[in-house]
Amino acid sequence: MKQESAAPNTAPASQSPTPSAQFPRNDGHPQALWIFGYGSLVWRPDFAYSNSRVGFVRGYSRRFWQGDTFHRGSDKMPGRVVTLLEDHEGCTWGVAYQVQGEQVSEALKYLNVREAVLGGYDTREVTFYPQDAPDQPLKALAYVATPQNPGYLGPAPEEAIAMQILACRGFSGHNLEYLLRLADFMQLCGPQAQDEHLAAIVDAVGTMLPCFCPTEQALALV
């Protein structure tokens, strides 16, 4: 993956304090929090937020290595969704959402069900570099699926992942929609956000799709 030049790890002068610097509320949650999304959260956060910023985190690569038996698949045919893999040379683009006040507890409650209970993800603190101010990084919360969770599928050839994506559907829609919406977001971010793993799966899907189903069905999926 293409790497960005190093940015000083200093708190932004114009941004809200990082979560650790906030005074906790009565429910134990911070007054404000940034949440980093790199999968479906980039186009469908489904929680109230005060601000959003496009940017990236360093030290991680995005991989379609997590199984999904609810949103994009089923128990018999798990879909493939993304997680973050620790990678010293990695750089993953996404969107950070700022939640404040009552939005904090509501967002965390919602995401606990969507990402943790139904998705198998754990939380992790990451350093987020906004695209418009990479020299002013933010601390953010990210949901990461580790190999220890029961839904973890791990690595596979991009062609095999593409075939699995083409075959799966869940309560949130077809697995192919998930892939293409994520690819669309990366295109909007520009060439600096190149994701070779994602691009290889999209290319494999493009090759397989005409043979996988009739043209009318293929167009309906897209």
Side-chain angles (χ1 to χ4, degrees), residues 33-179:
L33 180 69
W34 287 91
I35 299 169
F36 176 65
Y38 57 93
S40 61
L41 288 179
V42 304
W43 74 84
R44 188 174 66 85
D46 280 355
F47 57 83
Y49 56 90
S50 301
N51 190 15
S52 66
R53 304 178 75 175
V54 173
F56 56 90
V57 299
R58 294 195 182 101
Y60 294 93
S61 291
R62 178 174 25 224
R63 292 289 184 270
F64 276 81
W65 289 3
Q66 174 67 4
D68 188 334
T69 60
F70 184 84
H71 297 292
R72 300 292 175 173
S74 64
D75 289 334
K76 292 183 178 180
M77 298 183 67
R80 283 261 183 177
V81 292
V82 293
T83 184
L84 292 180
L85 173 71
E86 289 190 19
D87 176 3
H88 180 69
E89 301 296 326
C91 178
T92 298
W93 283 72
V95 180
Y97 300 94
Q98 186 184 43
V99 289
Q100 302 183 65
E102 295 301 320
Q103 294 175 342
V104 176
S105 58
E106 291 300 318
L108 292 178
K109 179 180 178 181
Y110 168 73
L111 290 172
N112 179 62
V113 175
R114 171 174 166 174
E115 304 294 336
V117 176
L118 297 176
Y121 289 73
D122 293 326
T123 56
R124 183 172 300 179
E125 186 181 80
V126 296
T127 301
F128 173 78
Y129 297 87
Q131 183 180 28
D132 58 354
D135 59 335
Q136 298 179 353
L138 306 165
K139 292 298 182 182
L141 184 73
Y143 288 82
V144 179
T146 67
Q148 287 70 43
N149 86 85
Y152 190 79
L153 298 178
E158 277 81 7
E159 293 78 8
I161 293 175
M163 185 171 294
Q164 188 171 352
I165 287 173
L166 282 170
C168 293
R169 176 187 293 274
F171 287 101
S172 295
H174 201 285
N175 206 174
L176 178 60
E177 179 199 17
Y178 178 98
L179 172 72

